[in-house]
Structure formats: C-alpha cells, structure tokens
Amino acid sequence: MFWFKKSVKGTKFLKDATDIHCHLLPDVDDGMDSLDESFELLSQEEMAGVKRVYLTPHNMGIEGAVVDKDSYGGHHHRHKKPTEEAEGNSSVAIMEKNQKQYDLSGKESAYVSEPKGGFSNAHLRERFELYKSFYTGSIELRLASEYMMNKEFVTKVENKDLLTYSDGVHVLVETSYFSPPVDMDDILYGLSLAGYKPIIAHPERYKYMSKYDYKKLKDKGYEFQLNYLSLSGYYGPEVYERALDLLDKGYYNFTGSDFHRISTFYHQMDYLKLKGRRADQLLELFDNNSKL
C-alpha cells in the first residue's frame, strides 16, 4: 500500500467505503430516533463516497434491554442543517407521512412486546425491510447486529440464530465497557466451534482490557473492529491512545463508525486526521470491510 506523505483527513477516508457498524435503524436501540435523522446521515455519507452500510442494532437479549441511552453518551437531538429551511413543504410532508407509517407499523407488529435493545432477529428484519422501503438514496443497505456476549447470546449461537455479515460467518460481538462476562473465553470459543468468526467491536473502549488481554485475544485468532472516531479523540484521550497502540501493532481487522446520531458526523469527522503509515492502515481496514 502507498504511504501518504501528507495527512488524510475526515471524509476523505470514506470514498468507496463500507461501514460495518452503525445504529441507524430508528427506534430499535439507543441509536437513531427518526427516519429523517437516519436518512440525513446516510445522505452525508453518500456525499462523502460511502457505498455500503451495515445497520447493526444492539442485541442485548431480553435481560439486557431496555438499552439506556445515557450509558452510551446521552440522548441525541435532531441536528438541522441551514438548507433545511429552504426545503419544500412536500418533502417534509412525505417524510412525516413515512415516519407515521413506520411508527404505526411498530405498534402493530407481532413483536411489539419486545423491548428496545432486545429485539429478536425476526423483529429487526421486519423493521429493516420497512426502513429500506422508504430509503431513496444510493447506498447499499445491509442488516447485521451487534451482540452482547451473555447467556442469551450463547443460546442464539447454539440455535444458529444470528444476524451475520453477508459472508454468513462473521458476527459482531461486544461486552460491557467496564467488565467482561465471566465466561468470555468460552463464549468466543463456542462461537468459533459453531462455525462463526467473531469480530470484537471497539476493543479500544473496554476499560478493563490490558495489553495482555488484547494479545491473548489476537493470539487466539479473534478479529478486532476499530471505531475510527476513536482516532479523532471522540471518546477521550485514553481511548485515543489505546486505538493508536492497537493500530500500530496491526491488531485491527476492520473499522466502523458506530454512529448513533447525526451530530457526531457533523462535529467529529474533521478531527479524524492521520498521516503516513497510520493513514494507510486505516484505509486497509476500510478495504477489508468491503469483503464482508
């Protein structure tokens, strides 16, 4: 790969990119609240050159739901761009109509009793298909999920009831930011025995992990997904330093945005700035994304 002498910044990383981790499916977890906000973010990504996006709602299991938005950085708010004031009333009316239909469908769903963050795969597929029916942009949309590693997840693995990436084998998994499940090694091993390949989401954000923990996981062949905004300082200096260290060691296999709200895109992308080998490495991760 070519090593850039100059810095690569912000949305330049997103040309022809695939995002494998985001929370854009409205009203299923702690991510987007509305079609309007979600489609606005997709529009911004489309202008940046993004070609494919995997929507990966949290799947905490029934015991882990409802997802508490405050634990993921607080409630988000609709961020309006100045150009919206000039939009025609017809487009606004259409969006409002679509939103009402999306909301009503959720209330009438056979899965309506399922709590946010604990939606079944069938429920997520239902939401996803309706979501796609309203989307008019050019980005290719796919559905996967981000699974909390717990007892309910083990049951899903045993039943082969998982939303994988399109290769049918890669599965995005996570833990609490503060402590691992006591049987984490067994869960990951069982996932592998069942024929799946775990991708550990944003390992740089797990406060309990040490350099030894990272090395042990990599030695066992597990793959890591970087939240690329960890490299912008979005999650703070400690996560930033961890992310750089893991990037420099070549531990990451994939990268994703982990977007939960439109304001993150507007306020943080300009802070993503890398040069030389690090810029090249991040671009390689985006290249790996395209193979899922």
Side-chain angles (χ1 to χ4, degrees):
M1 292 287 291
F2 179 77
W3 286 17
F4 290 93
K5 294 182 180 179
K6 295 183 179 181
S7 296
V8 181
K9 182 178 179 181
T11 58
K12 290 184 178 180
F13 284 106
L14 302 184
K15 181 175 173 55
D16 298 323
T18 294
D19 187 357
I20 70 163
H21 182 179
C22 65
H23 299 269
L24 304 192
L25 191 61
D27 207 32
V28 300
D29 60 8
D30 62 321
M32 297 291 183
D33 284 331
S34 69
L35 293 173
D36 189 14
E37 183 183 23
S38 181
F39 292 162
E40 183 182 344
L41 180 47
L42 285 175
S43 175
Q44 294 301 312
E45 289 193 300
E46 183 179 337
M47 287 191 287
V50 173
K51 298 299 184 184
R52 182 185 300 111
V53 170
Y54 278 94
L55 279 62
T56 56
H58 287 291
N59 199 310
M60 317 288 285
I62 299 300
E63 292 182 2
V66 173
V67 171
D68 178 6
K69 292 191 177 186
D70 290 332
S71 69
Y72 286 84
H75 292 274
H76 55 279
H77 301 282
R78 175 76 170 85
H79 181 87
K80 289 190 175 183
K81 298 291 282 184
T83 54
E84 290 182 349
E85 299 300 329
E87 288 185 352
N89 291 332
S90 60
S91 63
V92 174
I94 291 171
M95 182 58 70
E96 289 179 350
K97 179 180 178 182
N98 290 346
Q99 184 65 55
K100 288 180 180 178
Q101 185 176 341
Y102 185 85
D103 294 341
L104 181 61
S105 178
K107 293 176 182 178
E108 295 178 343
S109 171
Y111 311 103
V112 69
S113 63
E114 295 179 350
K116 288 186 181 181
F119 282 13
S120 63
N121 292 340
H123 195 174
L124 290 175
R125 290 190 184 98
E126 178 186 81
R127 295 280 86 196
F128 178 64
E129 291 302 320
L130 183 59
Y131 175 86
K132 284 198 304 180
S133 73
F134 295 129
Y135 178 60
T136 59
S138 66
I139 291 177
E140 178 186 349
L141 301 178
R142 296 183 181 181
L143 179 67
S145 191
E146 182 182 15
Y147 291 96
M148 179 65 69
M149 288 188 281
N150 54 25
K151 291 181 180 179
E152 291 180 72
F153 175 66
V154 171
T155 300
K156 288 180 180 292
V157 174
E158 293 172 348
N159 295 333
K160 292 190 176 295
D161 183 29
L162 299 176
L163 290 172
T164 68
Y165 290 99
S166 294
D167 63 0
V169 294
H170 278 93
V171 180
L172 188 65
V173 297
E174 66 172 340
T175 78
S176 161
Y177 294 130
F178 305 103
S179 61
V182 293
D183 50 354
M184 179 173 170
D185 288 341
D186 291 338
I187 292 174
L188 289 169
Y189 183 61
L191 189 60
S192 299
L193 281 182
Y196 297 105
K197 294 182 179 179
I199 300 174
I200 299 174
H202 42 60
E204 70 276 3
R205 298 189 66 190
Y206 300 132
K207 296 180 180 296
Y208 65 87
M209 281 195 181
S210 66
K211 292 184 178 182
Y212 170 77
D213 293 324
Y214 293 129
K215 186 177 186 305
K216 183 176 70 171
L217 290 167
K218 293 305 295 183
D219 287 345
K220 291 182 178 181
Y222 302 131
E223 296 176 313
F224 286 0
Q225 175 254 307
L226 163 71
N227 276 11
Y228 59 77
L229 287 181
S230 293
L231 299 173
S232 75
Y234 178 54
Y235 303 103
E238 181 180 351
V239 173
Y240 172 75
E241 292 298 333
R242 282 179 179 236
L244 285 180
D245 183 56
L246 294 173
L247 185 69
D248 290 343
K249 289 177 177 176
Y251 278 13
Y252 289 116
N253 304 90
F254 306 99
T255 189
S257 68
D258 201 4
F259 282 136
H260 284 66
R261 55 197 62 85
I262 184 65
S263 59
T264 306
F265 183 93
Y266 289 137
H267 299 156
Q268 291 296 319
M269 285 302 298
D270 285 345
Y271 293 101
L272 178 63
K273 187 176 182 180
L274 299 172
K275 62 182 179 180
R277 180 183 177 85
R278 287 171 173 169
D280 200 42
Q281 286 174 307
L282 182 55
L283 289 170
E284 284 188 33
L285 298 183
F286 276 113
D287 187 55
N288 292 344
N289 286 1
S290 66
K291 301 170 186 176
L292 286 178

